[in-house]
Amino acid sequence: MAEVLVYVDHVDGAVRKPTLELLTLARRIGEPVAVHLGANAEEAAKVLGEHGAVKVLAADAPEFAEYLVAPKVDALQAAYDAVSPAAVLLPSSAEGKEIGARLAVRIGSGIITDAVDLEAGDEGPVATQSVFAASFTTKSRVSKGTPVITVKPNSAAPEAAPAAGTVEQLAVTVADSSKGTKIVSRTPRQSTGRPELTEAAIVVSGGRGVNGAENFPVIEALADSLGAAVGASRAAVDAGWYPHTNQVGQTGKSVSPQLYIAAGISGAIQHRAGMQTSKTIVAINKDAEAPIFDLVDYGVVGDLFDVVPALTEEVKTRKG
Amino acid sequence: MSLRIVVCVKYVPDATGDRHFAEDLTVDRDDVDGLLSELDEYAVEQALQIKEAADDAEITVLTVGPEDASDALRKALSMGADKGVHVEDDDLHGTDALGTSLVLAKAIEKTGYDLVVCGMASTDGTMGVLPALLAERLGVPQVTQLSEVSVEGGVVTGRRDGDTASEQLEASLPAVISVTDQSGEARYPSFKGIMAAKKKPVESLDLEDLEIEADEVGLEGAWTAVDEAAERPARTAGTVVKDEGEGAKQLAEFLAGQKFI
Ligand SMILES: Cc1cc2nc3c(=O)[nH]c(=O)nc-3n(C[C@H](O)[C@H](O)[C@@H](O)COP(=O)(O)OP(=O)(O)OC[C@H]3O[C@@H](n4cnc5c(N)ncnc54)[C@H](O)[C@@H]3O)c2cc1C
Ligand SMILES: Cc1cc2nc3c(=O)[nH]c(=O)nc-3n(C[C@H](O)[C@H](O)[C@H](O)COP(=O)(O)OP(=O)(O)OC[C@H]3O[C@@H](n4cnc5c(N)ncnc54)[C@H](O)[C@@H]3O)c2cc1C
């Protein structure tokens, strides 16, 4: 059976959920071979093996952390040369897309980004994309070379599938030309203890209606009662009420949770672009005419400062 | 020595309009008004600021697109860019990301450059890969997704706010950079700027000028193929209630019914 390369997104060997989703999708088109760059490959290999990776190609080099993107492309290319895969899958993060793009140029292949589903087809893997702020669904494929496809988080439910997950060292030479962009310093983001926005099953977002940083705890309290991540509209972010990393939308994160709750958000096209594929959508807005109500499964026309705290109490009571 | 800046700008269908596909499954550009991709305004703005901080710099704005794409160039010129390059050729219809990067790279090499500035993504394709593709093709460093950028003494530095960390980056010119919408609001063209833009030179190039064969680009030459495009069915109208004191309870009831609580 054809091998499929899966680029592993991890933090020091802790594999992030989107990679497990990639392994699940990869099994539809071949045998997943994971590529782990950086430390703790053995630890990662356990999880990768449990999710179907027949092999883990591992490489660690200081250049991966010292320079931007290009050294990782050298490594992925080495894996590509070693395996001759039927496809290369990467997560649709900024970095995943850039690594995929540069690999595509090098191997003379097409690239599809932001796939939300993947299946085997007569002429190679067929990717589903959700485009134009999720108003259209397309099916595309790579017609030249080995398909390079990046996949959005939450595109598949990770399935367990025991496989060998044998770690093999991958020899990588980082080219001098790949050392062009130095990473001078790195400030890790502080963890809030809440689920990661793009991976969360429930997201509660606040917008301009929240009216001040001092009021965001109202949104956070609801999120915490539901075990949800907190999002924000660009208006709230631009006003400095919440960090940019929590922005949902075209230029923020794109989320696709089971439940999305928008409080004090009007529903501009650029916001919708990032949340329209959520399974269930709920809005709380005092303006009955707000466009967000066109999308909702359930909407409450009312003041968020009345509805949200009361809902938080209801959730706590019901959860006991 | 003059700093040669090339800004890549894309002409896109207005996102607030009714965007759709043509019969050949390419973007229908005839039925919807087009404009300069809003995210490229940030690229033009940063290029202008880099120019203002430099002793001597010149900004060329470059677009690949149909006749109307000259509107995107005019907008960038009215913001303050110095000249335009428009790559236009009927054989470009249906070009994908790899093809676009090929055309842009050849045009950039022909124009001459020290710094290429791009937006973080187009507002139609939203791939966000063009800057990386360009860096790979041009064989120069990529310094992408910057929320802060400056150029001094032949070195570009910037801040990239990623998922798990914020990074400070540095590269020597020539380089390709891309800037996010966090990099600073774009200026509005002044009346004087709009008038001046009418007189600024715009060079028109076709595939022959760039020594690109027709079958390397366009729908036929594309590395990807779109087989289907379907409008997403409108969401079935949900329940909307007015809060008269019971709103939270009713909503909790709905959430419980859906097994969220
Ligand atoms: C909905 C949709 C989905 C698509 N999916 C794919 C796909 O999966 N694979 C694929 O190969 N192609 C795809 N395409 C085609 C692709 O978007 C375009 O061919 C192309 O112009 C490059 O991608 P982008 O505009 O998305 O670039 P991005 O990488 O999003 O744009 C980044 C920057 O590149 C510059 N730039 C981009 N295009 C131009 C241009 N024409 N002229 C000047 N500067 C430019 C701008 O500075 C812009 O800010 C898709 C197009 C659409 C409309
Ligand atoms: C290129 C580009 C990219 C963009 N990217 C993004 C993006 O990624 N994400 C994004 O969100 N936006 C993005 N935007 C901005 C977008 O166009 C809107 O401006 C933004 O989404 C508006 O945010 P909002 O809904 O919070 O604010 P508003 O549109 O001002 O809406 C606030 C809403 O709150 C309601 N409200 C006020 N007070 C209360 C109250 N007490 N109780 C209940 N309701 C109340 C109001 O009725 C109103 O509907 C982008 C724009 C551009 C041009």
Side-chain angles (χ1 to χ4, degrees), chain B:
Chain B
M1 210 190 75
S2 177
L3 177 70
R4 295 164 302 168
I5 305 171
V6 178
V7 188
C8 298
V9 297
K10 190 175 186 185
Y11 180 71
V12 298
D14 187 348
T16 58
D18 194 9
R19 295 179 291 181
H20 46 263
F21 289 87
E23 240 167 71
D24 63 357
L25 301 183
T26 61
V27 179
D28 188 337
R29 296 177 193 276
D30 293 336
D31 271 6
V32 192
D33 287 340
L35 43 75
L36 168 63
S37 172
E38 283 157 311
L39 293 170
D40 291 346
E41 291 182 17
Y42 294 89
V44 175
E45 176 62 36
Q46 289 307 311
L48 290 168
Q49 291 190 20
I50 290 165
K51 176 178 165 164
E52 283 155 10
D55 287 340
D56 180 19
E58 188 184 45
I59 302 175
T60 305
V61 285
L62 165 66
T63 196
V64 175
E67 195 181 344
D68 293 347
S70 59
D71 287 0
L73 290 180
R74 285 291 160 209
K75 172 84 188 272
L77 291 170
S78 65
M79 287 172 73
D82 301 299
K83 58 189 178 80
V85 173
H86 185 173
V87 184
E88 189 193 345
D89 197 307
D90 288 344
D91 289 329
L92 281 168
H93 174 80
T95 305
D96 66 352
L98 250 78
T100 304
S101 69
L102 176 71
V103 178
L104 285 171
K106 294 258 190 180
I108 289 164
E109 275 168 341
K110 191 176 166 74
T111 304
Y113 72 104
D114 301 299
L115 179 70
V116 178
V117 186
C118 298
M120 63 184 284
S122 70
T123 57
D124 60 348
T126 66
M127 295 180 72
V129 298
L130 230 301
L133 290 169
L134 274 180
E136 182 69 37
R137 288 201 188 273
L138 295 168
V140 302
Q142 74 165 79
V143 197
T144 45
Q145 303 276 339
L146 303 178
S147 52
E148 239 174 55
V149 60
S150 65
V151 176
E152 227 186 278
V155 174
V156 51
T157 54
R159 195 180 82 228
R160 171 168 164 127
D161 292 321
D163 244 12
T164 53
S166 177
E167 294 162 333
Q168 204 63 41
L169 306 177
E170 184 185 294
S172 297
L173 299 184
V176 174
I177 70 172
S178 75
V179 302
T180 73
D181 58 335
Q182 297 290 302
S183 60
E185 243 358 87
R187 68 194 65 184
Y188 284 106
S190 63
F191 179 69
K192 220 176 107 202
I194 294 169
M195 295 314 287
K198 296 195 169 140
K199 298 201 192 80
K200 289 179 179 172
V202 173
E203 185 185 2
S204 189
L205 298 174
D206 61 17
L207 288 174
E208 206 180 319
D209 296 323
L210 297 175
E211 294 172 25
I212 296 172
E213 299 296 328
D215 61 6
E216 290 180 82
V217 293
L219 208 48
E220 293 304 313
W223 281 256
T224 51
V226 181
D227 293 331
E228 266 177 64
E231 197 157 1
R232 196 185 161 88
R235 289 185 85 99
T236 41
T239 313
V240 178
V241 299
K242 194 168 175 341
D243 177 38
E244 278 156 347
E246 295 293 301
K249 245 197 189 73
Q250 289 165 296
L251 179 48
E253 205 54 54
F254 169 78
L255 293 178
Q258 302 283 313
K259 308 245 185 302
F260 289 115
I261 40 181

Side-chain angles (χ1 to χ4, degrees), chain A residues 207-209 233-235 247-252 264-268 270-271 284-287 290 302-305, chain B residues 38-39:
Chain A
R208 203 195 301 272
S233 74
R234 176 159 151 191
Q247 182 179 315
V248 171
Q250 186 186 50
T251 55
I265 293 178
S266 61
Q270 298 89 353
H271 187 80
I284 301 151
N285 194 307
K286 65 181 183 188
D287 174 10
D303 192 320
L304 76 91
F305 294 107
Chain B
E38 283 157 311
L39 293 170

